[in-house]
Amino acid sequence: MVSLTHNRSSLNPALLLEKLKSLSPFRKYLVAFSGGMDSHVLLHLLSKLKQQNSYLSLRAVHIHHGLQKVADCWPEHCQSICDDLGIPLEIHYLDLNLESGDSIEAVARQGRYQAFQSIIQKGEVLLTAHHQRDQAETLLLQLFRGAGVQGLAAMPVIMDSNNSVHIRPLLDESYQSLQAYAVENKLNFIEDPSNQNNSFDRNFLRNQVLPKLRDHWQGLDKTLSRAAKIQSETKTLLDQMAEALRVNCAEYSNVNMVSNTLSVDCLLSLPRDKQKLLIRYWITKKGFLAPSEKKLKTVLNDILLAKEDAQPLVTWQGVEIRRFNYQLYCDAPLTEHDNTQRLSWDGLTPVVIDSLGITIKPAVLASVQCYNEPLSIRFRQGGESLLLAKMAKNNKNKTLKKYLNEAGVPPWLRDRLPLIYCGESLIKVVMLQDVSVLQHEKNKTI
């Protein structure tokens, strides 16, 4: 059995707490609990921690991917473990939409993390049980895919994403130490049969390649983990450079003072390598998947160098890159939306527009007046005019097209902006704090 005390291992409640405190001020933890050995070890450790520190908040979530029949009994197993440990468990079922050519691993991972984001509470930290061997596998997978520094940095110990924090507190722990802990504490964990399916890249690497490499190079997992740390340090330096470039090239919308875009002129003034660095960094900073080298070249050639009146579009998984008014935009794909719909409104009750995932509140009427005429919410059809309050004295209208041009609203979003009508008069264009929320955020209140 591997000794659990030969070094300052995190497989000790006190030292685990010390590590968690050093990484985040939050004391509320959500544990991703698959029921396998790794996550069971982490959950068991945290249950000890909770017993010794009652002020900590701890709960677990089990994600059922729906990809194999044998997994149908795992939620019950996980519930039993959590009941024994006195830890609340939330079970989340995924309905994955697999299309031809999709990687099951990638789609499942994306669905899993989207589920975590929907479940995690304010001030709560997501904890996952990735360890040193997982890090070694990730580094090699990224290397075989031709990744750069960002990919070779593999998995960070802590990551901020979508206003939440994700920590991997066991990332420096060896697989053997987790295994020894599980044996010593008689943990009853799930063995996932899909882990033996070598048609998956990670399984092939884990089951066929790495064992042979470990026979030849002792301490391989630790060595590869150290290499990932070095790449991570390099990535930090590059990110600092990219952030300075981003600040210099940031464009501020006329609609608001939030920087969402990059100046095309600024990008074109940079050398090619800095263009690529900045665009990759900007996209990932916005929470999207970084482009492949091929997609990045398309952005550089077809978007940056497009004609002034063109409306180029480059897409990949979950991302759309566009250009308008000498600015580069990055957003999620547009949702389906019927701009011919008309919604009656009493002006007193919040209105939900499902196709856009937004809620309009009565407060938007604060700057306008409507008497003895019914209110309605419509969308741009073309040819509309808006009577602005400051123009009312002269009774002059401004065309909606001109108004949106002056406001800097991109063409692809214009028929998605809610228009408030008093009778047949357009009295208000609902501008958002960030027009991109029309595309992918649910239940956004305006």
Side-chain angles (χ1 to χ4, degrees):
M1 181 177 295
V2 177
S3 170
L4 302 182
T5 58
H6 69 284
N7 58 22
R8 288 177 60 83
S9 168
S10 293
L11 302 187
N12 171 297
L15 294 178
L16 177 60
L17 181 59
E18 181 182 313
K19 173 175 282 189
L20 291 173
K21 283 183 175 180
S22 71
L23 293 171
S24 171
F26 298 117
R27 298 294 175 262
K28 295 169 61 179
Y29 303 119
L30 175 66
V31 184
F33 183 42
S34 69
M37 184 190 77
D38 308 343
S39 61
H40 197 160
V41 167
L42 178 58
L43 192 68
H44 192 269
L45 268 169
L46 288 164
S47 70
K48 290 183 178 180
L49 201 57
K50 170 67 174 173
Q51 291 171 11
Q52 299 168 8
N53 303 272
S54 59
Y55 63 90
L56 297 176
S57 171
L58 178 63
R59 65 190 187 109
V61 56
H62 174 77
I63 306 295
H64 187 296
H65 295 85
L67 294 175
Q68 48 182 338
K69 186 66 178 176
V70 68
D72 289 346
C73 64
W74 295 351
E76 183 179 353
H77 170 87
C78 292
Q79 187 66 66
S80 176
I81 297 298
C82 287
D83 288 345
D84 288 343
L85 295 175
I87 299 171
L89 174 69
E90 181 169 342
I91 299 171
H92 190 97
Y93 292 84
L94 296 183
D95 183 16
L96 298 177
N97 183 22
L98 292 171
E99 299 181 0
S100 178
D102 280 348
S103 162
I104 296 177
E105 295 169 286
V107 172
R109 181 172 59 253
Q110 183 181 29
R112 185 164 59 249
Y113 280 98
Q114 286 176 344
F116 292 150
Q117 289 299 324
S118 69
I119 293 166
I120 198 163
Q121 299 172 356
K122 184 177 181 180
E124 197 170 43
V125 178
L126 174 66
L127 301 181
T128 56
H130 296 101
H131 48 78
Q132 200 174 78
R133 181 170 291 187
D134 294 323
Q135 185 74 311
E137 293 168 358
T138 301
L139 173 65
L140 288 180
L141 283 171
Q142 293 291 345
L143 179 64
F144 296 153
R145 291 167 183 164
V149 170
Q150 183 170 342
L152 297 180
M155 297 181 290
V157 174
I158 181 170
M159 179 171 64
D160 293 323
S161 176
N162 295 323
N163 299 316
S164 65
V165 179
H166 176 193
I167 294 177
R168 300 178 174 93
L170 306 182
L171 200 57
D172 289 332
E173 299 296 329
S174 69
Y175 173 80
Q176 291 81 2
S177 66
L178 271 70
Q179 194 175 46
Y181 182 96
V183 171
E184 183 174 299
N185 290 276
K186 299 181 174 59
L187 302 187
N188 177 24
F189 52 85
I190 293 167
E191 295 281 3
D192 186 347
S194 70
N195 288 338
Q196 302 306 313
N197 182 353
N198 291 331
S199 64
F200 297 130
D201 290 346
R202 185 176 290 272
N203 288 346
F204 174 73
L205 189 63
R206 176 182 297 162
N207 300 328
Q208 299 293 320
V209 178
L210 276 167
K212 294 180 180 179
L213 295 178
R214 290 190 188 100
D215 287 343
H216 188 80
W217 284 284
Q218 297 299 311
L220 180 68
D221 294 338
K222 186 175 181 179
T223 301
L224 292 177
S225 182
R226 184 170 66 247
K229 283 185 178 180
I230 294 171
Q231 294 299 314
S232 180
E233 292 168 356
T234 303
K235 176 182 176 296
T236 298
L237 294 174
L238 289 174
D239 283 351
Q240 291 171 357
M241 178 188 296
E243 176 61 16
L245 292 171
R246 188 198 67 80
V247 170
N248 189 51
C249 289
E251 284 284 347
Y252 293 86
S253 169
N254 292 331
V255 179
N256 51 69
M257 290 306 294
V258 178
S259 171
N260 289 318
T261 63
L262 294 179
S263 163
V264 170
D265 287 342
C266 182
L267 279 164
L268 290 175
S269 72
L270 299 174
R272 187 85 163 184
D273 56 349
K274 288 188 177 180
Q275 290 177 0
K276 295 166 72 172
L277 173 67
L278 174 53
I279 291 173
R280 279 200 186 100
Y281 172 78
W282 172 64
I283 291 170
T284 56
K285 185 178 177 66
K286 289 171 69 70
F288 295 112
L289 182 68
S292 65
E293 185 67 17
K294 182 178 180 180
K295 288 291 185 182
L296 184 56
K297 286 181 179 178
T298 304
V299 172
L300 294 173
N301 296 330
D302 296 353
I303 301 284
L304 292 189
L305 301 179
K307 294 181 179 179
E308 181 179 348
D309 59 348
Q311 294 187 27
L313 170 65
V314 176
T315 67
W316 60 90
Q317 185 180 351
V319 186
E320 291 185 348
I321 305 293
R322 302 174 189 263
R323 169 181 167 157
F324 169 66
N325 199 20
Y326 295 101
Q327 296 177 47
L328 199 66
Y329 287 78
C330 172
D331 285 298
L334 296 174
T335 56
E336 292 187 8
H337 170 64
D338 177 12
N339 71 317
T340 65
Q341 62 184 305
R342 294 188 178 193
L343 306 173
S344 297
W345 191 26
D346 60 11
L348 302 173
T349 308
V351 176
V352 176
I353 303 178
D354 290 328
S355 61
L356 299 176
I358 60 175
T359 301
I360 300 180
K361 299 184 73 176
V364 302
L365 298 174
S367 62
V368 296
Q369 294 179 339
C370 180
Y371 300 108
N372 303 319
E373 293 282 356
L375 283 169
S376 62
I377 300 173
R378 308 178 193 179
F379 297 91
R380 182 171 179 262
Q381 303 296 303
E384 295 90 350
S385 294
L386 176 67
L387 181 62
L388 300 178
K390 64 182 180 181
M391 293 182 173
K393 292 181 180 179
N394 299 321
N395 197 29
K396 291 183 179 179
N397 290 0
K398 176 179 286 191
T399 66
L400 180 61
K401 180 179 180 180
K402 184 175 182 181
Y403 179 78
L404 296 178
N405 274 337
E406 292 176 353
V409 178
W412 58 91
L413 295 180
R414 294 183 183 184
D415 65 355
R416 305 170 79 82
L417 290 177
L419 308 178
I420 310 298
Y421 276 78
C422 177
E424 293 302 314
S425 298
L426 173 58
I427 61 172
K428 176 77 174 183
V429 180
V430 181
M431 292 295 188
L432 308 180
Q433 291 182 346
D434 177 356
V435 291
S436 68
V437 299
L438 289 173
Q439 303 165 50
H440 54 83
E441 289 186 12
K442 295 299 181 184
N443 300 321
K444 181 69 179 180
T445 297
I446 308 172

